[in-house]
């Protein structure tokens, strides 16, 4: 069993940056695919970014070129660097463990002037 804890969310002005972290603990395979998703009020959850076991990445169209997903397997942590944030990025951000469809509790990101 794996537990995921997201951190790094908060309030940021448009054009600003944040880096989210997702730390894994418990019993799990250290090297599996990991994803970041987000859900805004009244909207369905959407895929933001994914990173494979080999480190290859893919992004949703709305964030490509602005967000970067990365991982540090030695620390059992996945990151999401978010740049050029705009109000449409406001959402709760979740990480997901691909080995068992396990989700973290989410971290709130609010982009507002």
């Amino acid at each position: 069993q794996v537990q995921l804890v997201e951190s790094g969310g908060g309030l940021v002005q448009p054009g600003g940056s944040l880096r989210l972290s997702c730390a894994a603990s418990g019993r799990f395979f250290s090297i599996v695919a990991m994803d970041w998703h987000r859900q805004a009020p009244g909207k369905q959850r959407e895929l933001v970014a994914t990173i494979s076991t080999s480190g290859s990445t893919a992004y949703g169209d709305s964030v490509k070129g602005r967000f970067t997903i990365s991982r540090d397997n030695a620390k059992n942590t996945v990151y999401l660097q978010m740049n050029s944030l705009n109000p449409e990025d406001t959402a709760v951000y979740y990480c997901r463990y691909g080995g068992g469809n396990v989700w973290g509790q989410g971290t709130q990101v609010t982009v507002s002037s």
Side-chain angles (χ1 to χ4, degrees):
Q1 181 177 330
V2 61
Q3 295 81 44
L4 306 175
V5 179
E6 300 96 334
S7 62
L11 176 65
V12 64
Q13 294 185 357
S17 299
L18 286 173
R19 189 181 74 159
L20 307 183
S21 299
C22 176
S25 62
R27 293 182 294 179
F28 57 93
F29 292 103
S30 295
I31 305 177
V32 298
M34 298 289 293
D35 308 329
W36 282 99
H37 301 245
R38 67 186 183 185
Q39 187 166 24
K43 297 183 179 180
Q44 67 177 8
R45 191 170 299 184
E46 65 174 336
L47 175 68
V48 174
T50 186
I51 185 165
S52 74
T53 57
S54 64
S56 62
T57 60
Y59 300 90
D61 289 340
S62 63
V63 307
K64 191 171 185 177
R66 300 187 297 121
F67 291 10
T68 303
I69 188 172
S70 62
R71 67 193 300 164
D72 186 337
N73 290 329
K75 297 181 179 179
N76 295 322
T77 301
V78 62
Y79 304 95
L80 184 68
Q81 178 66 46
M82 305 185 295
N83 299 326
S84 301
L85 288 163
N86 60 65
E88 294 179 345
D89 296 316
T90 296
V92 178
Y93 285 70
Y94 302 88
C95 67
R96 187 187 72 93
Y97 171 76
N101 195 34
V102 176
W103 298 81
Q105 84 291 337
T107 185
Q108 176 71 48
V109 173
T110 302
V111 185
S112 176
S113 60

